[in-house]
Amino acid sequence: MKFALIPVAIVALLGGFFAYKLTQPRNDFVQSAMVGQPVPAFVLPPISESRPGVQTADLRDGKPKLVNFFASWCLPCRVEAPFLDRLEREGATIVAIAISDEGEDVDRFLAEFGNPFARIGDDENSQIQLEFGSSKVPETFVVDGEGVIRYHHIGDIAERDIPVLLRELEKAGQ
């Protein structure tokens, strides 16, 4: 009779554990290890004739910027394109780094979805992307005028993200 209660006790303990976990708030925020760190040293050639390439010195000119990792073959990058245009119209300087892409494909992407980028570097083998702590596209970083990463946005930018990114840019400029 005593042994018959052991499975019931185990089920009750597991049920209590799962009920406790379900009542705890989720943490959806992923903190990048690169936030607070200087951007890596790099020089990237231009991938399009429409914009110059990107190097570390461009991110240390005293003005905060968004650094957007994108690719012409990336569907979420197409979704976020109008929101990058809006950020640029609202005063954000956006520097782009194209990942594993071809110049002709980037030019077609920019012609179709807009070109809010001040500069576009060619990260042919994703080396600089990995040094930023990014592993997919799109991802966006807020970099202050001294070249320190202040904020990391994972995934495509949506309407709800615009005020957050503008606020983070303003904080990075102070």
Side-chain angles (χ1 to χ4, degrees):
M1 186 74 173
K2 283 183 178 178
F3 296 113
L5 294 177
I6 290 175
V8 173
I10 290 172
V11 169
L13 281 172
L14 287 173
F17 172 76
F18 290 122
Y20 171 77
K21 292 302 276 180
L22 288 173
T23 61
Q24 300 305 303
R26 279 183 30 189
N27 184 1
D28 291 333
F29 184 72
V30 177
Q31 177 73 42
S32 169
M34 290 301 291
V35 172
Q37 301 296 314
V39 296
F42 67 93
V43 175
L44 293 175
I47 194 166
S48 168
E49 291 182 12
S50 68
R51 296 291 187 268
V54 183
Q55 59 184 318
T56 305
D58 299 323
L59 304 176
R60 294 180 178 162
D61 65 358
K63 299 174 188 163
K65 294 176 181 56
L66 295 178
V67 177
N68 178 255
F69 288 87
F70 84 107
S72 66
W73 44 264
C74 159
L75 292 178
C77 298
R78 295 169 184 233
V79 172
E80 80 170 358
F83 302 111
L84 288 170
D85 279 336
R86 185 164 154 209
L87 282 164
E88 193 266 338
R89 284 193 312 272
E90 294 195 22
T93 300
I94 307 169
V95 169
I97 298 178
I99 304 301
S100 303
D101 223 326
E102 298 293 330
E104 306 83 41
D105 296 333
V106 169
D107 286 337
R108 274 193 294 276
F109 179 91
L110 298 174
E112 185 173 354
F113 299 103
N115 187 354
F117 307 124
R119 298 176 166 273
I120 307 173
D122 180 8
D123 191 8
E124 186 177 337
N125 57 13
S126 303
Q127 182 63 40
I128 303 307
Q129 179 189 27
L130 292 174
E131 290 183 22
F132 262 79
S134 170
S135 60
K136 59 184 179 177
V137 286
E139 288 192 26
T140 304
F141 293 83
V142 174
V143 177
D144 70 15
E146 303 301 316
V148 175
I149 297 170
R150 295 298 177 191
Y151 183 78
H152 181 192
H153 178 87
I154 298 172
D156 57 302
I157 295 170
E159 177 77 30
R160 68 180 178 280
D161 302 315
I162 290 175
V164 174
L165 289 167
L166 290 173
R167 189 173 48 248
E168 291 297 327
L169 269 173
E170 186 178 327
K171 283 173 32 184
Q174 298 173 352

